[in-house]
Amino acid sequence: MLGVIKMDEKKVLKTIDEMLAGPWQIDIQELFEVSVNEPDEIKRNFYDSLYTYVLQKKQEDIISRPGFVI
C-alpha cells in the first residue's frame, strides 16, 4: 500500500480524549484563528467543530455554576 500511513488507533483516540477532557486548557481564540485561516476545507471543518465543542463545554460549565443568572 503505497502512501498509506498506519496509525495506532488507540493512541490517536487517547490524544483526542485528553484534548476534549479539558476544554479550559484550550485557547479558544487561537483555535478560532486557526479555523478561520485554514485553507484546507476538511481541516477547517474539523477546527470549526472543535471550536464549537470547546465553546459549548465552557458555556455549560459557566451556566451550571451556583448563582448563575441569565
Side-chain angles (χ1 to χ4, degrees):
M1 292 191 294
L2 187 62
V4 175
I5 299 172
K6 186 173 182 179
M7 293 182 158
D8 182 358
E9 184 178 334
K10 290 181 182 178
K11 186 176 180 182
V12 171
L13 292 177
K14 181 181 177 188
T15 304
I16 292 171
D17 287 342
E18 288 173 353
M19 184 173 59
L20 298 179
W24 289 103
Q25 298 174 5
I26 297 174
D27 182 356
I28 198 162
Q29 181 62 37
E30 183 178 333
L31 189 57
F32 177 76
E33 289 173 10
V34 168
S35 172
V36 170
N37 295 317
E38 178 59 53
D40 183 339
E41 183 180 358
I42 294 172
K43 286 182 182 179
R44 186 173 53 249
N45 290 339
F46 171 76
Y47 290 132
D48 285 343
S49 297
L50 185 57
Y51 172 81
T52 302
Y53 175 83
V54 169
L55 182 62
Q56 180 180 358
K57 288 298 179 184
K58 287 183 177 188
Q59 289 172 340
E60 287 174 1
D61 183 40
I62 292 170
I63 291 171
S64 68
R65 292 179 185 172
F68 177 81
V69 179
I70 294 180

